[in-house]
Amino acid sequence: GLYRIESLELAGHDAGADVALELGQALEARMTLISPDGRPPVGLFGIVRADGTPIYGIATDQEGIVPQQLDANHYLFTIRFEQLNLLPGSYSLRGHAMDPEGLRLFDTAEWRFRVRGQSRELGFVRLQHSWPGHQVSSKNIHTTDHVAAAAGKSNKS
């Protein structure tokens, strides 16, 4: 037998649901893995852009995470991205089942989701930043609230 994924779920979403998140919203996923020999497997979670460009990935063995054992051959991993600062666009969360050594990848499951929001920033992620010593122009119609907040002002009327 092979290590495989029994289920990959996004918290609060039914299977096959259209998942739309707001920029900065938390994302929680649960993945149940099957271990044919009863040894705790390694889980790998990755986020990719719709075109397959990797954004982020983390394996449970990299942080010493021990899975919750459900029975002799089933293990559960739960990961929570507290503040998913992906810029608006289409993405996928991928879950991977790996052997206990974390060397061989055996199975993959995927959830597609969209991030909504107003942003003119470029790239894939919003990096926390500030503009020390600068003011936000009131003439700039494209200024977003987070830029004004970074400068210590509010654009909300």
Side-chain angles (χ1 to χ4, degrees):
L2 301 175
Y3 298 91
R4 61 187 194 278
I5 298 171
E6 181 174 86
S7 66
L8 176 65
E9 303 169 348
L10 294 185
H13 299 280
D14 295 327
D18 180 34
V19 178
L21 305 172
E22 298 299 326
L23 189 138
Q25 184 177 340
L27 175 66
E28 184 173 300
R30 291 182 297 275
M31 181 168 61
T32 302
L33 301 183
I34 298 173
S35 171
D37 57 10
R39 296 185 304 149
V42 168
L44 173 63
F45 291 89
I47 295 176
V48 298
R49 183 82 177 178
D51 65 2
T53 303
I55 304 297
Y56 182 78
I58 188 74
T60 56
D61 65 339
Q62 293 171 329
E63 295 188 339
I65 302 302
V66 177
Q68 178 184 351
Q69 188 168 6
L70 303 176
D71 62 33
N73 297 94
H74 291 82
Y75 293 85
L76 174 68
F77 290 105
T78 302
I79 190 166
R80 182 175 173 87
F81 298 98
E82 295 297 335
Q83 191 174 11
L84 200 61
N85 281 323
L86 296 173
L87 293 176
S90 296
Y91 300 88
S92 289
L93 174 76
R94 291 183 180 163
H96 305 283
M98 300 181 74
D99 62 12
E101 294 75 31
L103 299 175
R104 290 166 292 279
L105 189 145
F106 288 93
D107 197 10
T108 299
E110 184 171 325
W111 262 88
R112 293 187 179 166
F113 64 95
R114 289 179 296 114
V115 174
R116 298 184 298 206
Q118 298 293 320
S119 174
R120 295 187 67 221
E121 296 158 283
L122 305 174
F124 301 130
V125 298
R126 172 176 285 165
L127 300 177
Q128 294 298 319
H129 63 279
S130 63
W131 300 94
H134 295 274
Q135 294 181 350
V136 176
S137 170
S138 60
K139 297 176 188 174
N140 186 347
I141 62 168
H142 300 294
T143 302
T144 57
D145 291 330
H146 81 276
V147 172
K153 299 184 177 191
S154 175
N155 280 352
K156 294 185 179 182
S157 28

